[in-house]
Amino acid sequence: MRQTAVPLSLPQGAGLIERAFTRLLMRMVQVTRVEAPQPDFRFITLQGESLEHCDWLPGDKVQIKLDGGLQTRTYTPFEFDPLGGRMRIVAYCHGPGPGADWVRGARAGEARALFGPRGSLNLQNLASCTVLFGDETSFGLAAALRRDEPGLHCVFEVVSPTQSRAVLHALGLGNARLIERRDDDSHMDEAIDAVRRSAEIRTSFVLTGRAPAIQRVGRALKAHGFDATQLRSKPYWAPGRSGLD
């Protein structure tokens, strides 16, 4: 069914700059479905005529505007239908903050403004074996890659292996290796070993998620003889920061 245009609705008190930016540069969409496969995760479907015929590749991002001001949060769609103007994202809502508050309260029928989709992580010409390292914020990227990369291997550091395993099964990523994250990073040696053991003769490494973890895995891979050209990285967040673009 064709989605009708979503009326623009800005919160009362929005300033002139916010109104102009939203109207001129952002796409209006509607939340059409919210699923909660686990308490800290949501699958959110967004749809609108503004998404029709958009170019999209796995790894591209969208920035969804939160209520009030020009705050946004960045997500990697794992499904995108340019003919129907529809996309789906995986949202992880662990911890406090404006982004997590929106995810927890998201409801079908609400209008949202977003920027994108646009390039974020170049995943063209990956090797036949691709190893993706990340965390809960990387699940959407992994699900988007799964269809195009049959040789995909995933290693995730996660807060709750139980919740994450259930979400990954729903995304068709049940074979992912999960390592419980510890505050002192004592799990990182196990994570690095799992990433290295997943590699074959020709391997591309895609490192995403927590910035310090990406840096540590990248250094370890180079120390084990892997070339920097085999690594592609994109930090999605860093401790003490609300989010990275």
Side-chain angles (χ1 to χ4, degrees), residues 6-8 21-30 46-56 61-65 80 87 111-118:
V6 178
L8 180 64
F21 181 86
T22 303
R23 291 181 186 277
L24 295 176
L25 298 179
M26 305 191 88
R27 305 177 191 274
M28 292 306 300
V29 297
Q30 188 175 53
L46 302 112
Q47 189 162 359
E49 290 182 5
S50 63
L51 294 176
E52 293 178 5
H53 310 297
C54 286
D55 293 328
W56 174 81
K61 66 183 177 183
V62 295
Q63 292 165 276
I64 297 177
K65 183 178 176 296
F80 199 97
M87 71 177 185
R112 282 286 146 190
L114 62 82
F115 187 50
R118 61 193 180 101

Side-chain angles (χ1 to χ4, degrees), residues 16-93:
L16 291 177
I17 294 177
E18 180 183 351
R19 290 179 179 274
F21 181 86
T22 303
R23 291 181 186 277
L24 295 176
L25 298 179
M26 305 191 88
R27 305 177 191 274
M28 292 306 300
V29 297
Q30 188 175 53
V31 175
T32 58
R33 188 175 184 184
V34 179
E35 305 163 77
Q38 289 292 307
D40 290 334
F41 291 87
R42 300 290 185 274
F43 296 163
I44 300 177
T45 304
L46 302 112
Q47 189 162 359
E49 290 182 5
S50 63
L51 294 176
E52 293 178 5
H53 310 297
C54 286
D55 293 328
W56 174 81
L57 292 170
D60 286 356
K61 66 183 177 183
V62 295
Q63 292 165 276
I64 297 177
K65 183 178 176 296
L66 305 181
D67 291 333
L70 296 176
Q71 265 195 114
T72 63
R73 288 296 181 269
T74 303
Y75 299 94
T76 305
F78 70 94
E79 288 182 7
F80 199 97
D81 174 11
L83 295 180
R86 185 181 71 93
M87 71 177 185
R88 296 177 75 198
I89 62 171
V90 182
Y92 178 56
C93 52

